[in-house]
Amino acid sequence: MAEDYTKELAGISTYLKSDDSENSKTHLIYPLFKKLFGKDFKIEAAASNADTYIEGKLLVELKSKKNQWLSGFYQSLHYAKKGLSYPVVCVITKDFLGLWDIKDIPEQARKLASQADSQKAPNEIGKTNANKSSKALTSDISKSAFFRINIDVVDSLFSEEKSHDIEIREFLKSLKNLDSIRIQINTYDFIDQIEYLKKFYDDPIEAVHCFYGIIGFWDVTSIIIDNDPEDCDIQLVSRQTGRISEQIQIKPKYKPEFKKYVESRYIFTNEGSGLTVDYYFSRFDEVITRINPEYAKQHGIFFTDINLSKFALWYVHDKFEKKLSANYVVFDPAGGSGNLVTSWKGHLKHKIVSELQPDLLKTIERRMRLTVENDDDLLAAGYTIIPKTSENIGLNFLDRSAVDYLDELKKALSNKYLKLDKPLAFLLNPPYKNTDENIQSREGIDAEYDINSDILELTGPDAGKERYLAFLGQIVNIAKAQNSEDSSLEPILLIFTPTSWLIPRPTFSSFRKEFDKYFKYESGFIINSKEFFKLKGKWPLSFTIWSFKKNSKGNINKLKITDLTHLNSNDLAINWDGNLKDIKKIMTPLINGGKIIKFDNSRGDIRNTLPKITKSEKIIQQPRYNIYRNRTKDEKDVKIISGFPLKDDRHTRIKAPHGSTTGEFIGFMDDVTPVRLKMDTCNRLTNNPDRVWFRLDTVFLNINSTKIFNGPADNRSYCAYDLISAKSTFSWFALTKALNGQYPIWANQYDIWAPNITKKKEKYYYSLCFAFALAENRAVVTKFEKDNPVNGASEVFVDNPFSPLNPDSFWSQVLDKEITQKPKLAFELVELIKSLYRMFVKNHCKSGKIINIGLHNESYFKYFEYPDFLTPNSGIIQIKKYAELNGHEDLDSIVIQITEKTKEVKAEIYNLLINEFKYFE
């Protein structure tokens, strides 16, 4: 019976997790080493003051904090100069444990250790050599460990606790086998090892194929078989299992180094815990993204978390179909890493998998083969890969008619004496790639896929540029084709997608009308993409279930989707191979905690709150205004055609013309550079400070881009010219700022809608919005000099509509009287801003104008010849900058108060929107 080390390993675990000092937790370490090594175990005085020493085998150095591991590493090497003998060193700190075979550490580290003064204490040498080590060397030392634990690098396959337990037990295994050391390739450094394999190949993708070709045979006993040193073929054989890998191609000149590399390493698995080689396959998409990022980008590849895949299929089982494999033929036309079709062990039977790319298809087949070989049930069920990987081609799901593709499926199944006699269950996570971009970048890596005209006819050309929409279009066509052959066959669709087509966004509305004629919505959920995908941003990712229901008038699909964006990857890191009753017991509380979101356009569009204006004698909703425009025929060979200042390099840097060279009105670029403009078609421009201009985006995705100027922004501009238009635009602006970074993920793809402002809070709410804009606007006082950018251009003086001192400003004429004194929050902010202006005039600008005050490098001055200046009505951003640059503490003290009060106002606007107006309910 194997000896039980549970208690001793718990001590190691506690040490790793404890914030206590080294001295107060050293006792936790001793029991394991004492039990393992008996009388050979020595500490402190008996070991030249080393923490733990096993003669001829091991030296252990303990530290308190993780950032001390490197000094501990060098300290452990220095004990050799104190007469101790050991081939392996171990360092244990908070959150980190490492084992190194001294002969395998980087040469530079070995050199630093050998040159150290033998008379100095090991702890002193440890710190000295750690300080001498570059980041690159530190990284190399870390990677040279044959075993590592990084507690803060969590493996998403398991819960944090389970991952830790697996690693601690693997540590015990390593200690028991110190005489036959191989470097462990584990879940958090295996991609680094694939990076190393790139040196043996001209194409980095071949390194990926090499790794996945041998991974299932790579254990602590594996050796390379090379029957002919002159050719490129080699194989890996496991002496433990007797199994032999497929042939791998390595150029003869690289064979000795490759053999040495492979035979000094092994793949870390733990069958009892569920960590098998299949897990490494499950991260194939992530591997591709690291090894060849352009390949992944152009193919639209995203790593589908293995536990998310398992959860999605459990969700199908729980909410929709208990016997998926019995009633449907499961087909994934975008197999990727194969996570979806391999994840529901024991529940998904015979599967059909295809891919557009042969590189992806090869990996799926390897994964399927290894999975099936180790599972009798799966072996009986089987699988079909289309096309055969021996053909070294992919099957483009998009470039042929639905009937042709259906024939391909039937042909592939008939070769296995099977029939397509059940409805298809399309199960996929298609590429999320917009193809409206540089075609050349895709053609170079075979990512430019033709799309069949039948698909584009269904999606429309714009929607067809979204690759996942093209997949949906083909699925509709194949489902129609299968149903037309046999009306009893009604396919289903189980799919991960972005949410924009579900609402739908305007680009996708015509496609949804067609889609809804054939598919009925059943159920679905959304999660946070960033939590489960290797992405920079976060957005809602949906998994939706649809059943084929032909209805020429269109199925009435009212999408109610469960919001599970609160889930993190650790929540789904459970034992998915357990029984369904236990899984349901764990998952039900998580699902029940999700809010049901109505995915449609019923909330409206905030633009509808804008008052009507006149355009060419017609009454219309105020349209957005863009500074940029098309080049005219007369401007074909003219160099200066925009309204930028002459010295602004945007005349040549920006392709589209902006404004007009002789415009008599002023707009602003995002950085507050002024631009000359001609009058717009709605006659909204003026040189008086009697209106305010906004950059206002219509979707939540872009709400961080909103701004306020005293002239049109370069795009998406709307104008406030009276109280009614001010209420609409100021509320819109304040809403975006208050909700930025705080809106629920599910709203990411929605148009911003107007809040339902209660009568009781209406005046107070608008008062807050006006005050907030007074503090946050970017209006400036400046002057666009004459004959700039061309001769004949007139001088234009730009005034500030937010000046509280100018009785003719928009603020004074329209908004000031709208500020309520009870509640007093908005009033307090306004009074602070007024006091800033009064102090500025009293202490700094009594004469009515000051010049050469340090603002000459600001974008609204730097392109002109005249000296920079301020007036009593200058913009608040100008006064703040003046105070900052010139160290005026009297102004700075008020600015600090304004900043704090603005935060309070913003928080109150958020409170009203969420708690009073129930904005997201």
Side-chain angles (χ1 to χ4, degrees):
M1 183 175 176
E3 196 167 6
D4 184 21
Y5 284 85
T6 302
K7 184 177 179 181
E8 291 78 14
L9 292 178
I12 303 293
S13 179
T14 302
Y15 188 101
L16 284 164
K17 294 178 180 179
S18 173
D19 288 312
D20 293 344
S21 68
E22 174 193 335
N23 290 337
S24 63
K25 59 183 180 179
T26 299
H27 65 282
L28 297 168
I29 298 295
Y30 294 154
L32 174 64
F33 293 98
K34 191 170 184 178
K35 189 170 184 176
L36 267 176
F37 299 106
K39 58 183 178 58
D40 292 331
F41 168 75
K42 296 178 181 179
I43 62 171
E44 301 298 338
S48 298
N49 294 318
D51 290 321
T52 291
Y53 173 54
I54 315 298
E55 186 174 1
K57 287 185 178 293
L58 177 71
L59 186 135
V60 181
E61 183 57 42
L62 306 177
K63 292 293 180 184
S64 302
K65 299 177 182 178
K66 185 175 182 179
N67 62 7
Q68 296 174 313
W69 75 263
L70 185 60
S71 61
F73 168 79
Y74 281 115
Q75 183 173 337
S76 65
L77 296 179
H78 196 65
Y79 284 104
K81 294 196 172 187
K82 300 298 179 181
L84 302 187
S85 173
Y86 46 93
V88 176
V89 296
C90 175
V91 177
I92 309 176
T93 74
K94 168 82 165 56
D95 292 339
F96 179 86
L97 184 153
L99 278 168
W100 287 265
D101 186 333
I102 294 175
K103 73 177 187 308
D104 292 327
I105 65 175
E107 185 59 38
Q108 193 176 350
R110 195 193 322 276
K111 188 175 181 180
L112 282 172
S114 67
Q115 292 176 346
D117 188 343
S118 62
Q119 301 304 310
K120 291 186 176 180
N123 64 337
E124 182 183 352
I125 293 300
K127 293 175 185 177
T128 300
N129 282 345
N131 289 331
K132 290 180 179 179
S133 298
S134 65
K135 286 184 179 180
L137 176 58
T138 301
S139 176
D140 288 343
I141 293 170
S142 176
K143 290 177 182 178
S144 69
F146 65 84
F147 180 85
R148 278 181 297 165
I149 293 177
N150 270 314
I151 285 185
D152 56 356
V153 181
V154 179
D155 190 331
S156 65
L157 179 61
F158 305 110
S159 65
E160 186 174 343
E161 200 59 42
K162 188 174 181 182
S163 289
H164 181 64
D165 181 64
I166 292 169
E167 290 180 323
I168 290 292
R169 293 193 174 278
E170 184 68 9
F171 174 55
L172 173 63
K173 188 193 296 184
S174 295
L175 291 177
K176 286 181 175 181
N177 294 281
L178 288 176
D179 293 332
S180 56
I181 291 170
R182 284 197 182 205
I183 296 174
Q184 178 195 88
I185 298 175
N186 53 40
T187 57
Y188 52 80
D189 73 353
F190 78 100
I191 303 179
D192 291 333
Q193 304 299 328
I194 300 175
E195 288 273 13
Y196 182 86
L197 289 174
K198 284 164 59 176
K199 69 185 291 184
F200 300 115
Y201 296 97
D202 298 327
D203 182 352
I205 296 297
E206 290 303 314
V208 177
H209 286 313
C210 171
F211 179 81
Y212 284 109
I214 64 176
I215 186 175
F217 312 86
W218 199 353
D219 57 36
V220 292
T221 69
S222 299
I223 59 172
I224 293 291
I225 298 175
D226 184 6
N227 293 322
D228 186 352
E230 299 300 319
D231 69 18
C232 295
D233 294 334
I234 59 171
Q235 290 176 286
L236 185 67
V237 60
S238 165
R239 289 181 291 186
Q240 181 173 291
T241 65
R243 295 170 66 239
I244 304 175
S245 76
E246 64 185 86
Q247 287 188 335
I248 301 296
Q249 278 68 52
I250 295 287
K251 291 179 180 178
K253 65 178 179 179
Y254 292 136
K255 282 184 176 182
E257 185 180 354
F258 183 82
K259 177 179 173 67
K260 179 181 178 183
Y261 172 82
V262 171
E263 293 180 357
S264 64
R265 286 161 174 80
Y266 74 101
I267 297 292
F268 171 40
T269 60
N270 190 302
E271 301 289 335
S273 71
L275 177 59
T276 66
V277 293
D278 188 67
Y279 174 71
Y280 296 92
F281 278 97
S282 78
R283 291 176 63 182
F284 175 75
D285 296 354
E286 186 183 351
V287 169
I288 289 290
T289 301
R290 247 290 282 285
I291 302 301
N292 195 338
E294 188 62 23
Y295 182 100
K297 176 184 175 183
Q298 296 306 331
H299 285 280
I301 293 171
F302 292 102
F303 160 47
T304 311
D305 182 271
I306 184 64
N307 289 319
L308 178 61
S309 300
K310 296 182 183 201
F311 171 72
L313 283 164
W314 172 82
Y315 186 91
V316 172
H317 178 274
D318 190 64
K319 300 295 182 185
F320 177 65
E321 175 56 72
K322 303 292 185 191
K323 298 179 179 179
L324 191 60
S325 285
N327 297 328
Y328 297 90
V329 175
V330 179
F331 170 46
D332 185 350
S337 63
N339 275 354
L340 275 173
V341 291
T342 60
S343 60
W344 197 220
K345 188 177 180 182
H347 299 277
L348 280 186
K349 304 301 182 185
H350 190 96
K351 300 173 278 283
I352 307 175
V353 186
S354 187
E355 244 303 342
L356 282 71
Q357 269 297 306
D359 291 316
L360 305 178
L361 211 56
K362 286 177 186 176
T363 302
I364 296 172
E365 184 170 43
R366 287 174 177 133
R367 181 179 186 180
M368 291 284 214
R369 192 187 306 133
L370 284 169
T371 303
V372 166
E373 285 175 358
N374 294 317
D375 191 304
D376 291 339
D377 290 337
L378 290 177
L379 186 62
Y383 59 91
T384 299
I385 301 290
I386 306 174
K388 293 179 179 178
T389 55
S390 58
E391 298 174 30
N392 198 34
I393 58 172
L395 181 59
N396 189 343
F397 187 65
L398 306 177
D399 71 347
R400 65 192 66 206
S401 72
V403 172
D404 286 348
Y405 201 95
L406 203 56
D407 286 342
E408 287 280 357
L409 297 185
K410 292 176 183 176
K411 180 181 175 183
L413 286 173
S414 67
N415 290 336
K416 292 193 171 187
Y417 305 102
L418 298 170
K419 291 183 179 180
L420 191 57
D421 54 358
K422 298 176 191 174
L424 287 165
F426 296 95
L427 172 65
L428 68 157
N429 183 10
Y432 312 146
K433 180 65 184 172
N434 187 300
T435 57
D436 188 14
E437 59 172 35
N438 191 330
I439 293 176
Q440 286 76 18
S441 60
R442 295 193 302 277
E443 288 178 338
I445 51 173
D446 297 325
E448 179 55 23
Y449 309 127
D450 293 330
I451 298 179
N452 185 265
S453 59
D454 292 347
I455 299 173
L456 293 176
E457 185 177 337
L458 184 66
T459 64
D462 289 336
K465 291 173 182 174
E466 290 286 351
R467 194 168 285 159
Y468 78 89
L469 256 294
F471 268 79
L472 282 167
Q474 182 71 313
I475 286 167
V476 170
N477 289 337
I478 293 175
K480 286 164 58 181
Q482 188 182 32
N483 181 256
S484 67
E485 292 179 356
D486 183 344
S487 60
S488 68
L489 300 180
E490 296 183 331
I492 60 174
L493 170 61
L494 319 167
I495 188 168
F496 283 100
T497 65
T499 58
S500 50
W501 78 287
L502 300 174
I503 300 171
R505 299 285 307 148
T507 305
F508 309 132
S509 57
S510 61
F511 168 72
R512 267 297 300 278
K513 286 180 182 177
E514 288 299 311
F515 180 87
D516 288 351
K517 290 178 183 178
Y518 302 99
F519 279 95
K520 177 178 174 290
Y521 175 72
E522 299 290 351
S523 186
F525 63 82
I526 56 170
I527 50 93
N528 178 357
S529 63
K530 190 176 181 65
E531 188 64 34
F532 295 96
F533 284 67
K534 305 300 180 183
L535 301 170
K536 292 181 179 178
K538 65 179 180 179
W539 37 272
L541 177 75
S542 68
F543 180 77
T544 49
I545 303 170
W546 308 78
S547 58
F548 187 87
K549 290 288 183 291
K550 191 174 181 180
N551 185 338
S552 60
K553 293 182 179 179
N555 293 294
I556 300 173
N557 284 321
K558 295 183 178 180
L559 274 64
K560 293 183 177 179
I561 300 180
T562 305
D563 181 3
L564 299 180
T565 53
H566 61 279
L567 295 182
N568 59 49
S569 57
N570 204 46
D571 290 327
L572 301 186
I574 68 167
N575 180 15
W576 290 102
D577 294 332
N579 66 65
L580 288 169
K581 190 177 289 186
D582 290 340
I583 294 173
K584 187 175 178 66
K585 188 176 180 180
I586 297 169
M587 286 295 116
T588 298
L590 294 176
I591 291 179
N592 290 345
K595 182 179 178 182
I596 304 300
I597 306 299
K598 186 169 63 174
F599 266 72
D600 61 24
N601 288 311
S602 62
R603 295 173 179 85
D605 187 329
I606 199 168
R607 285 174 290 190
N608 294 333
T609 65
L610 292 166
K612 300 286 197 291
I613 60 172
T614 302
K615 177 182 179 182
S616 302
E617 300 182 352
K618 291 183 180 180
I619 304 299
I620 63 168
Q621 198 103 48
Q622 182 183 166
R624 78 179 190 181
Y625 176 74
N626 297 324
I627 287 178
Y628 59 83
R629 59 180 176 81
N630 293 323
R631 185 183 288 260
T632 67
K633 290 181 180 179
D634 294 337
E635 294 172 334
K636 184 177 179 182
D637 298 317
V638 181
K639 185 176 181 182
I640 303 298
I641 57 175
S642 292
F644 301 123
L646 184 61
K647 293 181 180 179
D648 191 339
D649 69 355
R650 276 173 280 213
H651 282 291
T652 54
R653 181 161 53 87
I654 295 181
K655 189 175 182 179
H658 282 57
S660 169
T661 56
T662 57
E664 297 175 346
F665 305 97
I666 301 299
F668 293 92
M669 299 299 287
D670 193 59
D671 64 353
V672 203
T673 297
V675 185
R676 287 184 180 272
L677 307 175
K678 293 282 190 183
M679 178 61 74
D680 79 304
T681 55
C682 295
N683 294 307
R684 287 174 287 181
L685 300 179
T686 177
N687 286 325
N688 298 319
D690 60 354
R691 60 198 58 195
V692 175
W693 283 87
F694 297 79
R695 151 71 188 266
L696 294 171
D697 283 77
T698 57
V699 292
F700 280 96
L701 183 63
N702 297 329
I703 62 174
N704 63 329
S705 300
T706 56
K707 298 175 182 68
I708 311 180
F709 299 99
N710 45 330
D714 63 329
N715 67 89
R716 296 173 176 82
S717 286
Y718 299 89
C719 181
Y721 47 85
D722 60 14
L723 183 58
I724 296 174
S725 59
K727 285 182 176 180
S728 174
T729 52
F730 279 71
S731 172
W732 186 349
F733 173 77
L735 180 152
T736 64
K737 294 304 182 187
L739 297 181
N740 188 23
Q742 300 192 80
Y743 64 85
I745 296 171
W746 61 259
N748 177 271
Q749 290 293 319
Y750 275 85
D751 285 329
I752 299 168
W753 61 90
N756 294 315
I757 303 166
T758 61
K759 197 69 178 174
K760 183 179 178 182
K761 298 286 186 179
E762 181 179 14
K763 194 163 182 63
Y764 177 47
Y765 171 72
Y766 284 124
S767 183
L768 290 166
C769 294
F770 297 151
F772 181 71
L774 181 65
E776 289 292 295
N777 74 85
R778 307 180 77 189
V780 294
V781 171
T782 187
K783 184 173 63 177
F784 209 122
E785 61 194 6
K786 70 174 185 176
D787 297 327
N788 187 341
V790 295
N791 289 333
S794 61
E795 179 177 286
V796 183
F797 182 78
V798 184
D799 213 343
N800 176 18
F802 281 100
S803 172
L805 302 185
N806 183 355
D808 296 323
S809 71
F810 186 75
W811 178 266
S812 299
Q813 287 287 315
V814 180
L815 301 182
D816 194 43
K817 56 181 174 290
E818 298 297 319
I819 304 300
T820 60
Q821 294 192 39
K822 290 184 180 180
K824 62 182 180 179
L825 182 56
F827 179 78
E828 289 174 338
L829 177 56
V830 171
E831 286 303 302
L832 280 171
I833 293 171
K834 287 180 177 179
S835 67
L836 175 69
Y837 271 86
R838 287 193 291 266
M839 183 171 287
F840 170 66
V841 173
K842 178 183 176 183
N843 295 348
H844 305 276
C845 196
K846 288 180 180 178
S847 64
K849 184 178 182 180
I850 52 177
I851 63 173
N852 295 319
I853 32 74
L855 301 184
H856 55 283
N857 288 323
E858 297 302 307
S859 56
Y860 43 82
F861 286 139
K862 71 178 183 179
Y863 297 109
F864 305 119
E865 298 300 326
Y866 60 81
D868 53 295
F869 67 92
L870 292 181
T871 73
N873 298 316
S874 287
I876 190 169
I877 65 168
Q878 294 176 291
I879 295 172
K880 286 180 179 179
K881 192 68 177 180
Y882 164 73
E884 175 193 329
L885 292 174
N886 295 283
H888 294 307
E889 294 182 4
D890 56 339
L891 300 177
D892 281 337
S893 64
I894 301 180
V895 167
I896 291 171
Q897 295 177 62
I898 290 171
T899 301
E900 292 305 310
K901 190 62 67 175
T902 303
K903 290 178 183 177
E904 291 181 41
V905 169
K906 181 179 175 181
E908 179 63 356
I909 293 170
Y910 177 83
N911 174 56
L912 290 176
L913 289 168
I914 301 303
N915 299 318
E916 293 286 338
F917 307 154
K918 310 297 181 183
Y919 189 75
F920 291 109
E921 296 183 14

